[in-house]
Amino acid sequence: MLKENLQEVEEKIQSACQRAGRDRSEVTLVAVSKTKPAATLQEAYELGVRVFGENKVQEIREKYEVLPKDIEWHMIGHLQTNKVKYIVDKVRLIHSVDSLRLAEVIEKEAEKHNRGVDILLEVNVAEEESKFGLKTDEVLPLAERITEFSHVRLRGLMTIAPFVENPEKNRAIFANLHKLYVDIKEKNIDNGTVSILSMGMTNDYEVAIEEGATMVRIGTGIFGARDYSI
Ligand SMILES: *Cc1c(COP(=O)(O)O)cnc(C)c1O
């Protein structure tokens, strides 16, 4: 089942790249393994998956201990400042930075470990009340502040689009975030390191790729439905 799912996702990523005239190598697949047991991640690892996305600090800590060390862990969920210290030395990328305060805490913790930490700014493009993330017009000012930091490295932008039956409804959101991403790249406020646009989930990743995503975060499409009751 996992193998077939991964194959199907891979084929859809390839077709979306083709439709958009993009090379497959421009898009990184993040396998979103939240709520899934370590054994399931191990199975995916054996099928070649190396990039896993988790949304809880505790889950990253537990899985990090028992799974192979060449896994790239991505923190994709809301991050509380008091928990940064537990993962700053374990994650390859934090997708969900949405305030100066959080960026400052990551900077401080990264300095303690004497390592650089790659981050994305999370943008609530649709301005949904229920969601975390910066408003579009808050992104550039924060991006500029972050360039003053020496350990936190701004690598790009991320958004969680609304859940919609028809993914076409999210196309404008993805296009808007892509525009903002290009703006930031062109401003060169980042010394040329902004190269990640994380958008698209199971329901809408093909549209996201057509609109320029360089990273898609897929959970259900790979691992099946999540069971939150256990
Ligand atoms: C859960 C989650 C995903 C994956 O969602 P699916 O619809 O299962 O693919 C992607 N991004 C974030 C931030 C998530 O929390």
Side-chain angles (χ1 to χ4, degrees), residues 32 34 55 76-77 158 160 200-203 217-221 226 228:
V32 177
K34 62 192 189 197
N55 70 340
I76 62 173
M158 177 273 227
I160 303 174
M201 305 171 28
T202 297
N203 205 42
R217 311 176 308 267
I218 304 180
T220 315
R226 285 176 291 273
Y228 287 100

Side-chain angles (χ1 to χ4, degrees), residues 24-193:
R24 168 65 186 92
S25 64
E26 292 172 34
V27 181
T28 301
L29 169 62
V30 179
V32 177
S33 47
K34 62 192 189 197
T35 78
K36 301 294 172 183
T40 304
L41 279 72
Q42 180 67 38
E43 210 183 313
Y45 179 88
E46 278 153 26
L47 291 165
V49 177
R50 290 294 178 274
V51 186
F52 291 91
E54 291 282 343
N55 70 340
K56 293 218 157 63
V57 166
Q58 188 56 26
E59 259 183 271
I60 293 183
R61 293 176 80 188
E62 286 168 13
K63 290 172 178 173
Y64 180 88
E65 285 309 318
V66 298
L67 286 161
K69 287 293 170 264
D70 62 338
I71 285 176
E72 233 184 66
W73 295 100
H74 288 203
M75 175 58 182
I76 62 173
H78 183 63
L79 181 56
Q80 288 170 277
T81 50
N82 62 340
K83 293 195 174 159
V84 170
K85 58 177 178 284
Y86 300 120
I87 56 157
V88 79
D89 58 335
K90 299 181 177 63
V91 296
R92 180 72 192 76
L93 182 65
I94 300 173
H95 290 231
S96 44
V97 175
D98 60 358
S99 69
L100 179 60
R101 168 102 187 94
L102 178 57
E104 282 169 347
V105 172
I106 296 171
E107 173 65 24
K108 201 178 81 202
E109 293 298 329
E111 191 172 4
K112 283 186 198 162
H113 290 273
N114 193 26
R115 78 198 299 265
V117 175
D118 289 344
I119 65 137
L120 307 179
L121 294 179
E122 178 173 351
V123 191
N124 184 358
V125 184
E127 299 201 4
E128 287 180 283
E129 291 276 344
S130 59
K131 291 218 172 104
F132 294 106
L134 300 156
K135 288 188 185 151
T136 305
D137 59 8
E138 295 171 327
V139 174
L140 263 171
L142 181 54
E144 269 159 4
R145 289 297 299 274
I146 287 173
T147 57
E148 295 161 17
F149 294 1
S150 45
H151 298 83
V152 169
R153 297 186 294 237
L154 177 65
R155 301 297 316 279
L157 305 177
M158 177 273 227
T159 197
I160 303 174
F163 181 82
V164 287
E165 290 292 335
N166 177 3
E168 284 300 328
K169 288 200 169 146
N170 282 338
R171 188 178 290 279
I173 287 172
F174 295 142
N176 283 340
L177 193 67
H178 181 257
K179 225 180 277 166
L180 189 57
Y181 166 76
V182 171
D183 274 356
I184 288 182
K185 276 170 88 85
E186 282 175 353
K187 286 227 158 51
N188 247 351
I189 54 177
D190 58 284
N191 308 321
T193 58

